[in-house]
Amino acid sequence: MDCANLPNCGFIKKNMGTRNLAIQGYMSKYCQSDMQNQCKRKEYKMKTGTPPPDNMLPNGLMMEPK
């Protein structure tokens, strides 16, 4: 089952359709598996009440802007 935050996730919106295998791996691992509760983006939103920056990866690291 997909993460409930998936439709509004800035990281997903920004990177949807990418051919980057690492990005696809993050999506598969954190957004579409049982590891959804380990997503640091989800944790950030729950703690702050605001969405995390779009360049924050699901593991909590920040991706360099393009």
Side-chain angles (χ1 to χ4, degrees), residues 1-4 6 27-36:
M1 181 183 289
D2 288 349
C3 175
L6 195 61
M27 291 179 196
S28 176
K29 183 176 180 179
Y30 289 98
C31 307
Q32 300 166 325
S33 76
D34 58 355
M35 289 188 66
Q36 292 173 24

Side-chain angles (χ1 to χ4, degrees), residues 11-54:
F11 174 75
I12 297 300
K13 286 181 177 182
K14 186 176 181 179
N15 295 291
M16 188 57 88
T18 184
R19 293 179 184 253
N20 183 311
L21 292 178
I23 300 295
Q24 289 178 1
Y26 280 117
M27 291 179 196
S28 176
K29 183 176 180 179
Y30 289 98
C31 307
Q32 300 166 325
S33 76
D34 58 355
M35 289 188 66
Q36 292 173 24
N37 291 332
Q38 295 178 31
C39 179
K40 298 298 180 188
R41 293 183 55 80
K42 192 173 188 176
E43 183 179 308
Y44 181 100
K45 186 174 180 181
M46 289 173 64
K47 284 183 180 178
T48 67
T50 60
D54 290 349

